[in-house]
Structures are given as C-alpha cells and as structure tokens.
Amino acid sequence: MCGVFGIYGHVNAIDAAVLALRALQHRGQEAAGIAVANGVRQPKVRKGLGTVIQVFSKEVLQDLNERGPFAAIGQTRYSTKGTNTLVNAQPHWAESLQELFAIADNGDMLNLPEQKARLEKMGIDILSGNDAEIKIKTIAAEYLINRVGPLEQAIIAMSEQIQGVYSSCLLTRDKMYAFRDPHGIRPLSLGKLDTGWVVASETCAFDVINAEYIREIEPGEILIFDQNGVRSVNGMKACRKSLCIFEFIYFARPDSIIYDKLLEEARKRMGEELFREYPLEADMVIGIPDTGLPGAMGYSKASGIAYERGCIKNSYIGRSFIEPQQFMREHAVQIKLNFMERVIRGKNLVAVEDSIVRGTTSERIVQMLRQARAEKVHLLLTSPPYKRPCFYAIDTGRREELIAARMSVPEIASKLGVNTLGYLSLDGLYRAIGLERELFCDACFTGDYPIPMEHEPSKFEGE
Ligand code: AMP
C-alpha cells in the first residue's frame, strides 16, 4: 500500500513530514524515507529500512535540516515490487548534471519489465526492482532527453507509457508536484498548513500536524506547488474512477476521510448490514482488532446483542499481513491478538473481521477462540469473498493462494471450523459505504479489473 506525504512552503517541513509519516505508518513498515529541498541546492534524500522512528534518528534529522528546507516529501514502504532492501526504499530519484528529481509514490506497475527495458535502451541505469524508480526515470527521460516541455508534460508522458497505479509526490530544487493516476486507485488528499501546502495518502496525516483538509486530488490531476502557490493541470487521459474498495474495508485508518466519508462510520454501517444479511442469535459480539471493531459495534447496535472486547491487541506489533513471509505471518497473529478466556468461555459468539485473504489469520483466530472455550463461533466478514489477486499496489499473492478462489463458502467454513461463516454481499458493502459502485475498483471480489492488462503479470501464473 505505502504512505505518501508532501509539504511545500513551510519552515517546519521536516518535523511535519516525520509526524505525518508516523500517522501513515499503518500503510507500510518496511522502510521510510524523506527528500528535502531548500530552493537553492538539489534535493537531498535520506532513507532506511524500518519504521519512521527507526530511520529518522536525531543525526539523520539534523543532516536533513542543515540546509533550511522549506519543502519535503516522504514515504513509508510496504513492498509489492522489489524486495525489502535499502535499494528499493523510497524516495527514488533521477539525476542529471543540472537536476535531481525525487519521488515518493504509492503505486504499482503492470508493464515494469517492458518499461525498464525501454529506459535501459536509452542508456539509463535501473538500480532497484521498484516501480517508483522506473516512474521517476521515465519522467526525467521525457523532460531531459525527449524535452517534451515543462515537468508536468513529462508526468503526462509518463502516464501514457506506464500501465499502473500512482499516487505520488515529486520534489525538485524549488517545486513540488502531486499527482494521481487517471483511475485514482490509491487515495491522495490536499491540505493547508499555515502558509504552506500539504499532500497525504490519508487525512489522518493532516490531523496530526493540525493541517486543514482541503479536498481530494482528482484522478489524473497534477498539482504544481511553487512560490506563486498551487495550480492544477489535467492532461492525463480520462478514465473511469476506480478507488480501491479495500481502502474502505481495511487499509485506511478509521479516522481518515475519503469521499467525505469517515471510515469508522462506514465500517460501523458494514456491521449493521451484516446483521441484515445474517440475523444470528448470540450471547455477544466481538470484533477482531483493529479493523473488525467498528463492524462489531455496528452489528451489536443493529442486533441489540452485547458488544464485548473479548480480544486484546498488543499495540506494539504491526499489521500481521504486512510481514512478507508466511511463517512470520502465522506467528504474528498469535503475538498480536490475545483472546480472554474469562470473557469467551461457554459463549455463543459472533466475531466480526474485515476480510479473509489467504485464510491464515482467520484459521488462527478460530483456533484461539476454541482454545478460549467459545461454545459457538459465527465468523462474519465486512467484505465479500476475496477471489482475485490485486495488481494495484497490494501484495495479495497469486490467485491460488486466495482461499476463496479455491474453495466454496461452506468448504472454507468447515476448514476454519466455524458454526457460521458469513461474507457481506457486494450490495450490502456499497450500501454501507453510501457511494456508487462506479467510483470504485472491486476487482478482488468481481474480477472486473479497471486497467486492461496487455501482458498477464506473474500473479496470474497457475490460473
Ligand atoms: P489472511 O491471513 O491472508 O487471510 O489475511 C487476512 C488478514 O489480513 C485480515 O485480518 C485483514 O485484516 C488483513 N488484510 C486483508 N487484506 C489485506 C491486504 N491486502 N494487505 C494487508 N492486510 C490485509
């Protein structure tokens, strides 16, 4: 997924970037980086493996602050393209004798090998396996070699060559650009902080620095920040809007606002819809922390069944899914969640979770509920069956790894050992969100991919 932040025209650009990136930490914990600009010298980049706090030590911050920067871009990384190594961490940059352009990107690319070969043919070295490096080097090539015009034209030229996803901030010596792919698959919002401008993947990053949320950056829109303020350019090919539905189900923080909807409230309504679809009788409702909690509250409100905590999350552990290795993921569930036997023993309970992808987490959760002596376990999901891999900046693995692609709902229920397994319907999901289906990408449930694929990416192997 990745978290992206940008700030322009502010004396505390670096401190604001660090705080905002910490608020976006849930979008990626593998690496973090910041690029800064002071209008005179080329942008400077510092990045490292780990969380924002781990990477930005006092020394690193001092080093970045040395030049008195007024602009910064930053990223927290969750790897989809490329392994978790420093060379893949962001911001990536492209440089020539005259210029250095840095990019912080939340995205993915379907035609990475073809575009990489194209750049290499032009004599451009590609150092990482990360799509953001290809994007910034494509922009730089269009600007410096093909001389398509001002940098925004180079960004438009990049959008014509790259099939994929990008919600990005780009920094030069004296300007910042923020842009979104024409489908707008990943979120990106604009805000204001004092006399400066801010851009972030999610509005929770604005709250932490007391920035004012202005609006979402439109799919295909390019914003240019310079000493005259901000202006908008719309030169990318118009496409159907396709915001990732999983931002509403799982990724975005509950205190973030997308399309004017507070995620916490949307997720509560998903729980209410679940009760309409599965009006069960039970002693209590619990939510699987964190994302299942509002859904459980909504189910409790609609049903009148008591809401209990039942499960305590160790908040010093990151999101289990983000651990790239399966073994780590399995153990991460146990260290993260503790089901309280004294609350659960002998109970007929509804447990609300956001989703089942590979099935690893739910299997462990049901085992732990059984160990805590639950009498009956009704597992309800605030999403439909996850059947198709995502190629748009999420690491869901290959199709054969997705449990709902291989098994029917009754088969999954018996594998998990639950009394009831209930997935929210697509209609129920959209009713809960309160927005038109036309605004979203829901390919993981429906197979309706908004970006046509010229070449089937490797995740299709085995189909
Ligand atoms: P799994 O163990 O593969 O079934 O993963 C499902 C769990 O990971 C659920 O508890 C979700 O909260 C979370 N999750 C679902 N989808 C994603 C995703 N694409 N990226 C990260 N975490 C996810």
Side-chain angles (χ1 to χ4, degrees):
M1 336 181 232
C2 302
V4 168
F5 179 77
I7 178 163
Y8 188 89
H10 203 279
V11 284
N12 296 322
I14 294 180
D15 291 345
V18 170
L19 289 176
L21 288 178
R22 287 186 69 186
L24 296 173
Q25 192 75 80
H26 62 289
R27 295 184 72 88
Q29 302 155 6
E30 293 171 23
I34 290 180
V36 297
N38 66 358
V40 184
R41 290 160 66 182
Q42 301 296 16
K44 183 171 189 173
V45 182
R46 293 297 300 257
K47 54 187 175 179
L49 296 179
T51 59
V52 178
I53 278 281
Q54 288 166 333
V55 173
F56 292 100
S57 61
K58 229 172 160 186
E59 294 73 44
V60 173
L61 290 175
Q62 253 164 14
D63 179 37
L64 283 175
N65 256 314
E66 246 172 19
R67 301 168 169 192
F70 67 90
I73 61 170
Q75 204 249 19
T76 57
R77 178 161 193 257
Y78 157 88
S79 52
T80 47
K81 285 276 181 299
T83 49
N84 185 26
T85 50
L86 189 58
V87 73
N88 282 323
Q90 294 198 36
H92 281 289
W93 67 84
E95 63 187 318
S96 70
L97 284 178
Q98 318 89 46
E99 284 283 1
L100 187 147
F101 310 107
I103 193 170
D105 173 51
N106 173 195
D108 212 339
M109 238 175 107
L110 301 174
N111 60 339
L112 192 146
E114 295 81 359
Q115 189 64 12
K116 182 171 182 238
R118 204 169 152 181
L119 292 174
E120 282 170 345
K121 232 173 158 179
M122 293 171 83
I124 298 166
D125 288 335
I126 304 298
L127 310 171
S128 75
N130 187 258
D131 53 297
E133 185 190 357
I134 307 279
K135 289 167 187 162
I136 192 67
K137 289 192 172 167
T138 302
I139 294 169
E142 291 298 330
Y143 183 68
L144 297 167
I145 302 172
N146 293 341
R147 301 198 175 276
V148 292
L151 204 62
E152 56 272 26
Q153 285 306 324
I155 295 171
I156 292 167
M158 179 277 293
S159 79
E160 282 155 11
Q161 293 167 44
I162 280 171
Q163 295 169 344
V165 180
Y166 33 94
S167 275
S168 318
C169 282
L170 190 159
L171 190 67
T172 69
R173 173 203 316 251
D174 57 359
K175 290 195 184 93
M176 184 172 87
Y177 298 74
F179 52 95
R180 249 176 119 186
D181 66 74
H183 291 280
I185 290 185
R186 294 287 143 221
L188 199 63
S189 293
L190 172 70
K192 189 115 194 41
L193 179 62
D194 308 322
T195 52
W197 295 96
V198 282
V199 169
S201 297
E202 287 183 40
T203 62
C204 64
F206 296 157
D207 298 338
V208 74
I209 51 174
N210 285 337
E212 179 197 352
Y213 164 70
I214 305 285
R215 66 171 174 90
E216 270 169 62
I217 297 172
E218 290 296 319
E221 183 179 14
I222 303 169
L223 290 179
I224 306 164
F225 303 85
D226 59 20
Q227 69 246 54
N228 300 319
V230 57
R231 68 196 161 87
S232 164
V233 174
N234 280 296
M236 293 188 204
K237 195 172 102 230
C239 295
R240 163 163 103 69
K241 287 187 185 180
S242 314
L243 178 75
C244 168
I245 189 82
F246 243 75
E247 294 285 348
F248 269 82
I249 295 166
Y250 171 78
F251 296 142
R253 256 174 55 160
D255 49 342
S256 286
I257 293 171
I258 303 182
Y259 283 140
D260 205 30
K261 306 283 178 193
L262 178 69
L263 279 272
E264 171 79 358
E265 286 171 357
R267 288 175 189 160
K268 274 190 187 156
R269 288 194 298 270
M270 292 174 201
E272 291 174 26
E273 289 293 334
L274 269 177
F275 178 67
R276 233 152 271 154
E277 296 183 9
Y278 304 93
L280 299 166
E281 282 180 13
D283 302 322
M284 65 186 207
V285 187
I286 67 164
I288 308 303
D290 286 320
T291 329
L293 299 180
M297 289 175 203
Y299 192 96
S300 162
K301 185 177 157 209
S303 64
I305 302 170
Y307 168 77
E308 295 280 348
R309 285 224 279 170
C311 177
I312 299 300
K313 185 185 151 192
N314 179 343
S315 35
Y316 299 95
I317 310 290
R319 286 188 161 186
S320 55
F321 198 98
I322 287 176
E323 300 285 352
Q325 303 303 323
Q326 179 77 359
F327 180 84
M328 290 298 282
R329 267 202 294 270
E330 282 171 22
H331 288 267
V333 181
Q334 225 167 325
I335 190 165
K336 192 170 83 168
L337 301 177
N338 192 14
F339 290 87
M340 295 177 282
E341 188 177 335
R342 291 181 191 209
V343 179
I344 285 166
R345 189 191 303 144
K347 294 286 178 358
N348 170 12
L349 63 86
V350 170
V352 180
E353 164 72 312
D354 60 272
S355 59
I356 301 180
V357 182
R358 294 170 174 89
T360 321
T361 312
S362 306
E363 202 168 347
R364 287 295 298 126
I365 285 168
V366 177
Q367 278 168 5
M368 289 191 276
L369 281 165
R370 296 290 183 201
Q371 274 160 11
R373 313 247 194 106
E375 195 193 302
K376 283 189 182 172
V377 177
H378 309 286
L379 181 64
L380 301 182
L381 291 315
T382 56
S383 60
Y386 199 114
K387 290 187 172 165
R388 307 288 298 232
C390 179
F391 303 104
Y392 310 144
I394 298 175
D395 175 27
T396 45
R398 292 189 304 275
R399 188 166 178 191
E400 63 269 21
E401 290 176 284
L402 306 174
I403 194 166
R406 291 184 282 115
M407 292 184 189
S408 66
V409 174
E411 282 168 350
I412 301 170
S414 97
K415 181 166 193 316
L416 298 179
V418 288
N419 300 85
T420 308
L421 177 65
Y423 286 93
L424 184 60
S425 68
L426 201 62
D427 284 350
L429 177 61
Y430 282 113
R431 256 197 312 279
I433 293 174
L435 293 166
E436 297 293 301
R437 190 182 161 206
E438 283 59 49
L439 293 172
F440 289 93
C441 170
D442 54 24
C444 50
F445 308 132
T446 61
D448 182 6
Y449 291 100
I451 306 178
M453 274 173 275
E454 276 170 24
H455 306 281
E456 291 190 344
S458 57
K459 281 182 198 168
F460 266 120
E461 279 166 19
E463 265 204 291

